[in-house]
Amino acid sequence: MRQYDLSVWVMPVTAKKPNSLQIEEFIIERIQNRTVQPHEGIPSHRTLARLNKVNRNTALRAYTKLIATGWLTHNKGSKACVADPLPGDSRKSRPSSMPEMLPLAPGLNGHNDERAEKDSGRGFISVGLPFIDKVYWPERIVSKYVREFSRSNTGLATPQKQHGIHSQSIQAAILQQLNLRSFNIRIDHLLVIRGRSECMRAIFKALCASSDTVINTSPSDPLINSVLQECGINMIALNAVQNDFISQLEEIIIRKRIMAVYIRPNCSYPECRNLDEASCSRLVELAKKHQFYIIEEDDDHEFWWGKYPFMPLAHYAHGGFVIHSAALSRVSPYMQNLRTVVAPAQLIEILKSIPNAHYGYRDFSEEKAISRFLVNSELLWFSRQAKAAKQKDLKNLHELLQLQLGEYISYDLPESGTALWIRFPAKTDLVTLIELLKSDGQVIRSVISRVKSEQPIYHMRLDFGRFDLRDCKKVAIKLRSILKKRIR
C-alpha cells in the first residue's frame, strides 16, 4: 500500500462515535489483513483523527497503546510504522540479551591493600521535591482498581503468600514494559526492590567485597556516597562530563584494580551527562577487557528532552557486565520507589537471598493497580502527559530565571530529568540566603548536603517536578533583591 492512499484509513460509519478502542481494533485489522506491511508507515494520529472526525487525543491514545503492545513502532523521524515482528509472531524471536551467569565471581575478587582516594563531591542545597505533580497520577482510576483487588483478595491466607503472588504479577507486567523498550530479557533476569537505597545497597553488597574500589561518576549524590561508605567500599570520583572521561577511566584501571563503575547518565548532578554512542561502546568494551561491572542507574527514562532518547548501556552487547537499575516510573511516588533491577539470573538469585533486600513494605493493592496500568498500557499515556507538562514547566522556569536572576546565576539546561544544577556567585552562601527567604515568609522545601561543616554553599539543585510558576516568581523576585544588596 502507498502511504498517501488515505481512503483505506476511513473507518466504517456506525451510530457510535469511534473511541480509542475502536481505533485500535481498526488499525490492527488493517495490519492483520496485510493492507499495510511490516516496516511500512501509516498516517499520523492527527491525520487519522481528521479523516474520521474524532478528537486527536483519542487517536493519540490508540496509537500509544498500539506502540506499547508491539503493533506499531517509531522510526527515527518519529513516524508510526507497522512493527516487525508483530505480537504473537515467534518467527524472529531473539535470544535474551542477558546471560544466566555473572562473568565475575561476586564479592570474591582480590581486595586492594591501598586505600583509594575519596571525593565526596561538592556541597549544595536541594530545593523542591523530587516527585511529579500528583495531578498526573489518576487517583480515581487507581482507587477503582484497588477496590476490585480488595474484593478478590479475601482468599489469600498469609502475607508471605500475598507477597509471592503479587510480586510475580507486577514483575510480569514490568517485564512486558521493559521488553517493549527493547531490553529483550526473561523474567529470571528481573527483580523488583522497594526503595532506592535498599536497591543500591543490595547491588553493591552482592557484587563487591569490603575494601573493593568503585569508580563513582556521581559523587555529589549523597545517597550513593552513603551506601558505598556503609558497605566499606573505596570510592574514586570521576567526572563523566569531561571530554576525556574514557581516557581518564583507562588511566585509572591500568594502575588500580576496580570492581565496578557506577554511572548515572541521565540526571542533573554536575558530574553526569548522557554519553554518546561511541563512548558507551568504548565503556562496555573496557568493562569486558578489564573485568569490572558497570552499575547503571536510570531514574528519568520518561523525561528525555532531546529528539532521540539515550540508549541504556544494558542494550549493548555487554556479556553480563552491565547491571541496570531504574525507577519504574516517576508519575507516582510509589512507582518512583519501586526499583527494577535487570541483571544476569545468577545475580538476581543472590539479591533475593540478601536479608531484607526485597521484603520491605509493599502495598499489594497499589501494585495490583500498577500492574493493571502496565498491562493495559495506560501508564504510558499518563507518562506522556506528565512529560509534556514538565517540558512546558522547564521552558517557563528557564524564562523566569533568566529574567529575574540571569545576571547572578549560571546553569545548563538539562538533557533529561526535572532538576537544574544552578551556580551562584562564590561569595554567596545559599544557606544564609534560604534562611532570609524563609524569614520573609517564603515557603521553601530545602535540604543541605555539605562536605565540610564550615564550607560555604553556592550550588543549588532546583527540582521542578512540582512546580508553581506564581510561587517561583515571588521567590525569584525576593532573591534578586537580596542578591542586589549583597553583591555590588
Side-chain angles (χ1 to χ4, degrees):
M1 189 205 80
R2 294 184 178 180
Q3 186 180 334
Y4 54 77
D5 183 6
L6 298 179
S7 62
V8 298
W9 296 101
V10 177
M11 298 175 64
V13 177
T14 61
K16 187 177 179 182
K17 191 173 183 180
N19 57 27
S20 61
L21 179 59
Q22 287 175 282
I23 296 173
E24 289 171 39
E25 293 173 347
F26 172 73
I27 295 176
I28 290 174
E29 181 186 3
R30 288 289 182 268
I31 294 172
Q32 289 178 330
N33 64 21
R34 297 296 178 179
T35 302
V36 279
Q37 302 294 323
H39 303 291
E40 188 173 358
I42 71 170
S44 69
H45 74 278
R46 292 181 179 83
T47 301
L48 193 76
R50 187 178 67 251
L51 285 172
N52 295 283
K53 297 181 174 56
V54 298
N55 186 280
R56 287 192 309 180
N57 287 335
T58 301
L60 177 59
R61 186 185 290 268
Y63 275 53
T64 299
K65 176 75 173 290
L66 291 170
I67 291 169
T69 51
W71 288 98
L72 298 179
T73 186
H74 277 124
N75 63 14
K76 285 196 173 181
S78 296
K79 181 179 179 181
C81 297
V82 178
D84 185 23
L86 294 169
D89 185 355
S90 59
R91 292 176 299 111
K92 296 186 179 182
S93 60
R94 297 174 294 161
S96 172
S97 62
M98 190 66 68
E100 296 301 300
M101 304 298 291
L102 287 165
L104 302 175
L108 301 176
N109 297 274
H111 301 325
N112 293 297
D113 293 330
E114 57 179 316
R115 299 296 290 178
E117 54 189 296
K118 293 192 176 184
D119 184 342
S120 298
R122 65 192 76 187
F124 66 97
I125 188 163
S126 294
V127 174
L129 293 173
F131 300 109
I132 303 301
D133 302 292
K134 290 183 179 180
V135 67
Y136 304 109
W137 181 234
E139 287 289 350
R140 182 178 57 82
I141 302 176
V142 173
S143 298
K144 173 189 170 186
Y145 288 159
V146 168
R147 287 194 300 272
E148 290 176 2
F149 167 69
S150 298
R151 286 194 295 269
S152 62
N153 193 37
T154 55
L156 295 181
T158 64
Q160 290 79 10
K161 188 175 181 181
Q162 289 187 38
H163 184 280
I165 292 174
H166 299 303
S167 290
Q168 293 172 12
S169 172
I170 195 166
Q171 286 195 192
I174 292 172
L175 178 70
Q176 172 186 305
Q177 197 82 353
L178 289 174
N179 284 337
L180 287 172
R181 293 174 54 204
S182 302
F183 274 79
N184 190 30
I185 58 171
R186 297 193 305 271
I187 194 69
D188 54 348
H189 298 141
L190 174 66
L191 183 65
V192 179
I193 297 178
R194 169 79 169 156
R196 182 180 174 222
S197 60
E198 290 81 1
C199 178
M200 299 314 301
R201 189 182 300 114
I203 291 173
F204 280 114
K205 281 185 176 181
L207 293 178
C208 304
S210 177
S211 78
D212 275 344
T213 298
V214 167
I215 290 179
N216 181 10
T217 66
S218 186
S220 292
D221 185 338
L223 185 144
I224 292 300
N225 289 334
S226 175
V227 168
L228 292 175
Q229 185 176 9
E230 180 184 336
C231 295
I233 297 172
N234 297 324
M235 183 187 86
I236 299 177
L238 188 59
N239 193 334
V241 174
Q242 303 298 329
N243 291 329
D244 60 346
F245 163 64
I246 298 296
S247 299
Q248 290 186 50
L249 176 61
E250 287 185 279
E251 290 178 8
I252 293 173
I253 58 183
I254 286 173
R255 59 184 172 85
K256 189 183 294 288
R257 174 78 175 95
I258 68 166
M259 193 61 205
V261 171
Y262 169 80
I263 190 159
R264 201 171 174 198
N266 50 330
C267 72
S268 61
Y269 288 106
E271 305 90 355
C272 305
R273 70 178 172 118
N274 304 325
L275 301 175
D276 58 41
E277 189 173 343
S279 297
C280 288
S281 297
R282 182 61 181 149
L283 178 59
V284 170
E285 291 305 312
L286 285 175
K288 293 193 287 188
K289 177 181 178 181
H290 294 277
Q291 302 283 286
F292 62 83
Y293 288 108
I294 301 170
I295 300 172
E296 176 186 40
E297 189 178 20
D298 179 0
D299 279 359
D300 293 320
H301 51 86
E302 298 163 294
F303 296 96
W304 293 100
W305 309 128
K307 186 175 181 181
Y308 306 121
F310 175 81
M311 185 170 73
L313 294 167
H315 286 187
Y316 289 77
H318 55 82
F321 282 98
V322 174
I323 312 301
H324 182 89
S325 174
L328 173 57
S329 171
R330 289 191 59 204
V331 175
S332 80
Y334 192 91
M335 284 192 291
Q336 186 166 327
N337 281 308
L338 276 184
R339 319 298 293 192
T340 60
V341 180
V342 177
Q346 183 187 9
L347 179 60
I348 297 300
E349 290 303 314
I350 293 172
L351 292 175
K352 288 180 180 179
S353 69
I354 296 176
N356 301 320
H358 64 296
Y359 290 106
Y361 170 75
R362 301 281 287 272
D363 187 329
F364 301 121
S365 298
E366 183 89 2
E367 290 186 16
K368 188 71 174 179
I370 291 169
S371 298
R372 183 82 67 87
F373 266 85
L374 293 172
V375 170
N376 293 343
S377 302
E378 292 173 295
L379 176 60
L380 186 57
W381 169 261
F382 292 108
S383 295
R384 288 193 172 196
Q385 296 292 98
K387 178 179 178 179
K390 290 299 108 184
Q391 207 158 12
K392 183 178 178 181
D393 286 345
L394 177 59
K395 177 178 179 293
N396 290 336
L397 179 60
H398 174 52
E399 292 175 353
L400 174 63
L401 291 176
Q402 289 301 304
L403 177 64
Q404 301 295 341
L405 298 169
E407 60 183 301
Y408 301 109
I409 64 174
S410 60
Y411 57 88
D412 298 317
L413 288 175
E415 294 178 286
S416 58
T418 60
L420 291 177
W421 186 270
I422 303 175
R423 298 171 291 276
F424 283 75
K427 52 185 170 180
T428 62
D429 185 357
L430 276 176
V431 176
T432 302
L433 293 182
I434 295 296
E435 289 175 353
L436 287 172
L437 289 170
K438 289 181 178 179
S439 65
D440 187 58
Q442 306 295 333
V443 179
I444 300 174
R445 298 180 180 89
S446 60
V447 177
I448 301 170
S449 297
R450 287 187 188 271
V451 178
K452 299 177 181 178
S453 58
E454 70 278 3
Q455 180 189 47
I457 292 178
Y458 48 90
H459 287 90
M460 176 187 291
R461 189 174 189 269
L462 177 60
D463 202 305
F464 57 94
R466 292 184 176 175
F467 177 76
D468 186 290
L469 182 59
R470 289 175 297 180
D471 289 344
C472 285
K473 186 174 181 180
K474 291 177 185 177
V475 173
I477 291 172
K478 183 62 181 179
L479 184 56
R480 182 184 64 185
S481 89
I482 295 173
L483 289 170
K484 188 174 182 180
K485 294 175 182 177
R486 288 174 167 259
I487 302 174
R488 299 184 184 278

